[in-house]
Amino acid sequence: MLGRINHIAIAVPDLARATATYRDVLGARVSQPQALPEHGVSVVFVELDNTKVELLEPLGADSPIRSFLEKAPTGGMHHICYEVEDILAARDRLKASGLRVLGDGNPKIGAHGKPVLFLHPKDLDGTLVEIEEV
Amino acid sequence: MLGRINHIAIAVPDLARATATYRDVLGARVSQPQALPEHGVSVVFVELDNTKVELLEPLGADSPIRSFLEKAPTGGMHHICYEVEDILAARDRLKASGLRVLGDGNPKIGAHGKPVLFLHPKDLDGTLVEIEEV
């Protein structure tokens, strides 16, 4: 069911500083920052040869990244996003296996304009997993 | 400097259970478990289409995964490994930029038989980064 890893998301307290580190110190290709107010984040994409890292900074009071950074002010790995071919079929299979889908169970349109769902980290060894239909 | 993401490592409290979840619920290809006593871990490789996830369970009293799981008993994302062409050149560039290399600064032979180094997570937004020469 799982296809490619679409991205690994890292929550950062200072997006400009993190971007400079990945670009200037680690020598990676980075995008311009994008504000995604509907997702409560500003994001920079770090393009690796086979996948990407997304650096996420909180945007707005209701940002889902804000509480994460309150617990881990330095930042840290936030989630892994896997691609799936059919998100509704994936959701139904996961739910039938006892995994909890976050929210109301209906896919939302994610940061890349594709349907996404998040799975409860307690069901996956403490790892927040996003699935994205591609 | 950074090439491909070689793997994302996830620390898990129960390798057999985690492996079954990735194989049977998430439908991923998984390897047989391998004991790597010199690294203090037992590992299962989850093969995705473009990279892999490594599930790590502590092995032995000195396992570097053990203290991680004491703080996060459910498990969680442990590190990201990036490929580099020349690990000594990468190390020198990173150190010149003020990043801290863990240990004595000399590459060790990692789980794939290649030279590896780890970078201090406080210098990289709370993310433990491994670099591996390929």
Side-chain angles (χ1 to χ4, degrees):
Chain A
M1 185 173 72
L2 296 184
R4 300 170 75 254
I5 289 188
N6 184 276
H7 62 268
I8 300 106
I10 299 177
V12 304
D14 183 334
L15 186 60
R17 192 184 61 193
T19 304
T21 298
Y22 277 83
R23 183 188 59 219
D24 302 335
V25 180
L26 297 173
R29 298 183 298 279
V30 300
S31 73
Q32 290 296 311
Q34 297 180 29
L36 301 172
E38 69 277 24
H39 296 287
V41 296
S42 296
V43 60
V44 163
F45 302 100
V46 181
E47 299 285 350
L48 290 313
D49 289 346
N50 58 338
T51 185
K52 59 183 180 288
V53 164
E54 294 187 6
L55 305 174
L56 304 179
E57 182 186 64
L59 178 66
D62 296 331
S63 171
I65 305 300
R66 201 169 291 284
S67 61
F68 182 95
L69 287 175
E70 281 166 8
K71 290 179 208 152
T74 312
M77 286 183 272
H78 187 266
H79 68 263
I80 301 182
C81 177
Y82 297 97
E83 298 177 355
V84 297
E85 285 188 11
D86 181 335
I87 199 165
L88 295 179
R91 175 197 65 187
D92 292 345
R93 173 173 166 169
L94 296 169
K95 283 177 75 172
S97 299
L99 268 66
R100 286 166 282 180
V101 175
L102 299 184
D104 64 7
N106 293 311
K108 296 197 174 10
I109 298 303
H112 315 114
K114 306 276 181 64
V116 302
L117 283 171
F118 284 89
L119 308 178
H120 200 303
K122 287 204 175 162
D123 297 335
L124 289 164
D125 300 294
T127 303
L128 179 61
V129 166
E130 180 180 17
I131 55 174
E132 177 174 311
E133 184 172 287
V134 292
Chain B
M1 186 173 72
L2 297 184
R4 300 170 75 257
I5 289 187
N6 184 278
H7 62 268
I8 301 105
I10 298 177
V12 305
D14 182 334
L15 187 59
R17 193 184 59 193
T19 303
T21 299
Y22 277 83
R23 183 188 60 219
D24 302 334
V25 180
L26 296 173
R29 297 183 300 279
V30 300
S31 74
Q32 290 296 311
Q34 297 179 29
L36 301 173
E38 69 278 24
H39 296 287
V41 296
S42 297
V43 60
V44 163
F45 302 100
V46 181
E47 300 286 349
L48 290 315
D49 289 346
N50 58 337
T51 186
K52 59 183 180 287
V53 164
E54 294 187 7
L55 304 174
L56 304 178
E57 183 187 63
L59 177 65
D62 298 331
S63 171
I65 305 300
R66 201 170 290 284
S67 60
F68 182 94
L69 287 175
E70 280 166 8
K71 290 178 207 153
T74 312
M77 286 183 272
H78 186 266
H79 68 263
I80 301 182
C81 176
Y82 297 97
E83 297 177 356
V84 298
E85 285 187 10
D86 182 335
I87 200 164
L88 295 179
R91 175 196 65 186
D92 293 345
R93 172 173 167 168
L94 296 169
K95 284 177 75 173
S97 300
L99 268 66
R100 286 167 283 181
V101 175
L102 299 184
D104 64 7
N106 292 313
K108 297 197 173 8
I109 298 302
H112 316 115
K114 306 278 180 64
V116 302
L117 283 171
F118 283 89
L119 308 177
H120 200 304
K122 288 205 175 161
D123 298 335
L124 289 164
D125 301 294
T127 303
L128 179 61
V129 166
E130 180 181 17
I131 55 173
E132 177 174 311
E133 184 171 287
V134 291

